[in-house]
Amino acid sequence: MLTRHLALRTVAVAGLASAAGLSLAPSASSSPTPDTAAESAVRALTSEPAGVADSAVPQDFSRRFGYQPTTTDGLLGDPTGDCSSPVPLPGEFVAACRQHDLGYDLLRYAGRSGRALPPEARRAVDDRLAIELPRSCSTRPGGLSRAHCLAWAEIAEGFVRINSARQGYDVPESETALSIAPAVGVGVAALAFGASRLTDRRGSTHGQVAR
């Protein structure tokens, strides 16, 4: 039987794909010689502590992208990055989104040199986001508040994965708030549905205890 979070994720992801008109069939990347420096940096960013990841960032990255990666809540990322959503997301997601932004910039770094990384690199960056988003929700004190945070994490992860599939897991392309608004709208509707179910269940439980 599906858990409430898995059920919510299923509804949200299906809705996101339908609303955005996304094709989930990835296209093959055609880079025969990946940029080894960027590849090492992505590997460190997605599997090593922030200090190790920082030392793996290519030396000319800051000059080419205009910022020096910094650490937020233990995660290395773009210091001005955000979650690129037209609706507010939980503040706990900032560090994970900044790390994800840096990961995508490393993919762009390789792409701009004509030595794009294989699809597995983008999947690794997305996988790291999928770990860090729900982990950030653990600081929430209340069960219902934490559940809402986790629901947002599911929707954010679902959108990112669908968008990566739509772009063939190739070098990330920029998205505007307008272009993603229909998909996010469906996600918000799914979240509202899930939140109401959680609230109803909680109220029902309290009523049973009172009796």
Side-chain angles (χ1 to χ4, degrees):
M1 181 180 294
L2 291 175
T3 65
R4 283 176 307 208
H5 290 310
L6 183 55
L8 175 59
R9 178 179 177 182
T10 301
V11 172
V13 171
L16 289 168
S18 175
L22 302 180
S23 171
L24 299 183
S27 62
S29 178
S30 59
S31 176
T33 310
D35 186 301
T36 56
E39 192 169 42
S40 296
V42 168
R43 187 180 305 112
L45 184 70
T46 57
S47 62
E48 300 290 347
V52 176
D54 191 26
S55 65
V57 173
Q59 293 185 354
D60 62 343
F61 175 86
S62 296
R63 175 179 60 79
R64 292 174 60 180
F65 281 80
Y67 71 88
Q68 179 68 41
T70 60
T71 301
T72 303
D73 294 338
L75 302 179
L76 186 71
D78 175 356
T80 62
D82 57 40
C83 295
S84 302
S85 171
V87 296
L89 293 176
E92 292 92 340
F93 292 177
V94 170
C97 288
R98 288 180 175 180
Q99 183 188 55
H100 190 259
D101 284 351
L102 173 57
Y104 272 22
D105 278 344
L106 288 169
L107 297 177
R108 295 182 183 108
Y109 172 96
R112 290 178 186 179
S113 68
R115 302 168 62 192
L117 302 187
E120 289 75 21
R122 183 163 177 172
R123 287 192 180 96
V125 175
D126 290 349
D127 287 347
R128 193 71 227 168
L129 182 71
I131 292 172
E132 296 299 342
L133 287 179
R135 178 180 292 172
S136 70
C137 295
S138 64
T139 59
R140 295 247 175 152
L144 185 59
S145 177
R146 191 178 304 115
H148 287 175
C149 182
L150 289 169
W152 275 116
E154 296 281 7
I155 289 173
E157 177 200 344
F159 172 76
V160 166
R161 290 193 184 281
I162 289 173
N163 197 50
S164 289
R166 180 171 68 87
Q167 295 183 0
Y169 293 94
D170 210 331
V171 178
E173 299 174 6
S174 297
E175 297 285 344
T176 65
L178 182 62
S179 69
I180 67 176
V184 174
V186 174
V188 170
L191 176 63
F193 172 76
S196 66
R197 293 299 299 272
L198 287 170
T199 302
D200 291 345
R201 181 181 291 268
R202 190 183 188 195
S204 175
T205 301
H206 285 176
Q208 293 172 3
V209 171
R211 288 196 300 269

